[in-house]
Amino acid sequence: MRLSRRSEYGLRALTDLVRSGPGTTVPLGTLARRNNLPPKFLEQIMATLKRGGIVGTTLGARGGYAIAGDPSTISIGRVIRLLDGALAPLGCVSLRFYEPCSCPDEATCALRDVMLDVRDATLAILDDQTLTDLAAREGRAEMDPRGIHAEAIAGRRP
Amino acid sequence: MRLSRRSEYGLRALTDLVRSGPGTTVPLGTLARRNNLPPKFLEQIMATLKRGGIVGTTLGARGGYAIAGDPSTISIGRVIRLLDGALAPLGCVSLRFYEPCSCPDEATCALRDVMLDVRDATLAILDDQTLTDLAAREGRAEMDPRGIHAEAIAGRRP
DNA sequence: CGGAATTCCCACCCTCGGGCTAGGAATTCC
DNA sequence: GGAATTCCTAGCCCGAGGGTGGGAATTCCG
């Protein structure tokens, strides 16, 4: 259930770009240094983001990357799908990257049923939150801001 | 963001065990055949589930695996954590398997902030739903039971 | 015009873990 | 005693995740 580094780095870089202000182009080196990300790997990622129409580039000296279009129309989900493929926990519940899974009959598969719910819960966030929203977040220091995981924090093993 | 085969197979097997009724022990071969899972791989998984106290075994002929304890007290989340480790999308938001991530300051990390929400949304399901709940589900044929992904179904690429 | 700063492109590497298999020892039932 | 099991240890394979390297093409600036 983990997010790949690819997406993690990509989203960090995009956040930086959005925060740099509309139309600002930032060179790869700066992007990498400021967010301490491996430069060459980030280059790959940015290439994909470009192919996906999420960023644009300007060549040559004083060139760099900039958000293409309005960041408030680009969802986090879209970015992750572009970089990683499916978002759904199981291939058989993926809307855009469907593939059959091991159960004999999907229509009566209990596991699929739960994962459908999980998918919807995560998509409700990731397809709703845009790059603008992301960049506007200030972060929270706590591990359990809503105080709903007291047991886990206490070290109990449920 | 994908669930591993390990967990997928494990949960399928557990569902089968719960449905077989309390106290029933089922041999590995049967478990594998009925759910068409690779037997030897499943054996490994069952071993882990045993170490984790989720199933018990009886040796020898007519032996097999059975749920240990009350399946309505075993959450899906617990099973996945046992088989796969962290459930959280990022190490830095994991309650039980915390590890720092690449951002300079977690307290002000925007990405972490979103992923905190994603974690809570999925845990709300996975730590709430028990094996009993899982076994009781009948499955749904549709891909979008709540009708909230019309665009994606239509093939639009947001 | 020349050099510096960039993106672009291609090729390659390498480790690690997911997913799976083999085979035999130990246990228990009939 | 033999059949059916779990237990245990070992190993395999490969693909993907996560990176590196180096050079060509483009553009700015003095």
Side-chain angles (χ1 to χ4, degrees):
Chain A
M1 307 281 290
R2 224 192 225 79
L3 191 71
S4 72
R5 302 273 162 173
R6 239 189 201 67
S7 291
E8 183 188 334
Y9 296 171
L11 286 168
R12 278 197 212 297
L14 289 172
T15 306
D16 189 339
L17 282 181
V18 173
R19 286 182 174 164
S20 302
T24 314
T25 95
V26 183
L28 185 80
T30 310
L31 227 36
R33 231 171 305 115
R34 277 209 295 237
N35 301 279
N36 69 325
L37 308 176
K40 292 301 275 183
F41 188 30
L42 183 59
E43 192 186 317
Q44 274 185 31
I45 296 170
M46 297 311 286
T48 308
L49 291 176
K50 182 183 183 180
R51 272 195 303 276
I54 292 180
V55 301
T57 57
T58 34
L59 289 190
R62 313 218 46 181
Y65 299 86
I67 300 282
D70 183 355
S72 72
T73 65
I74 305 172
S75 73
I76 298 183
R78 178 174 159 198
V79 175
I80 300 183
R81 279 190 201 95
L82 178 61
L83 293 174
D84 269 11
L87 260 170
L90 241 42
C92 62
V93 298
S94 176
L95 292 161
R96 295 176 178 75
F97 299 85
Y98 170 82
E99 53 191 59
C101 55
S102 62
C103 65
D105 179 17
E106 289 185 5
T108 61
C109 175
L111 186 59
R112 176 172 175 279
D113 202 45
V114 180
M115 291 306 159
L116 230 31
D117 289 347
V118 172
R119 179 202 69 185
D120 284 347
T122 69
L123 289 196
I125 298 172
L126 296 177
D127 280 341
D128 171 71
Q129 292 285 301
T130 68
L131 293 186
T132 304
D133 298 326
L134 180 61
R137 292 200 180 223
E138 297 185 352
R140 283 170 288 186
E142 313 89 50
M143 197 55 176
D144 181 19
R146 298 201 274 148
I148 52 182
H149 301 294
E151 297 181 358
I153 301 270
R156 289 252 307 277
R157 302 257 144 203
Chain B
M1 308 281 290
R2 227 194 223 74
L3 191 71
S4 73
R5 302 273 163 177
R6 238 188 201 66
S7 291
E8 182 188 335
Y9 296 170
L11 286 167
R12 278 197 213 298
L14 288 172
T15 307
D16 189 340
L17 282 181
V18 173
R19 285 182 174 162
S20 300
T24 314
T25 96
V26 183
L28 185 79
T30 309
L31 227 36
R33 231 170 305 114
R34 278 210 294 236
N35 301 278
N36 70 325
L37 308 175
K40 292 302 273 184
F41 188 30
L42 183 59
E43 191 186 319
Q44 273 184 28
I45 296 170
M46 298 310 288
T48 307
L49 290 176
K50 183 185 182 177
R51 271 194 302 278
I54 292 180
V55 300
T57 57
T58 34
L59 290 191
R62 313 218 48 180
Y65 299 86
I67 301 282
D70 183 354
S72 72
T73 65
I74 305 173
S75 74
I76 298 183
R78 178 174 160 198
V79 174
I80 300 181
R81 279 191 200 94
L82 178 61
L83 293 174
D84 269 10
L87 259 172
L90 242 43
C92 62
V93 298
S94 177
L95 293 161
R96 295 176 179 76
F97 298 87
Y98 171 84
E99 54 190 58
C101 55
S102 61
C103 66
D105 179 18
E106 289 185 5
T108 61
C109 177
L111 187 58
R112 176 171 175 280
D113 202 46
V114 180
M115 291 305 159
L116 230 32
D117 289 347
V118 172
R119 179 202 68 185
D120 284 347
T122 69
L123 289 196
I125 298 171
L126 296 177
D127 280 340
D128 170 71
Q129 293 285 301
T130 69
L131 292 186
T132 303
D133 298 327
L134 180 61
R137 293 199 179 223
E138 296 185 353
R140 283 171 287 186
E142 314 88 49
M143 197 55 175
D144 181 20
R146 299 201 272 149
I148 51 182
H149 302 293
E151 297 182 357
I153 301 271
R156 289 252 306 277
R157 301 257 145 203

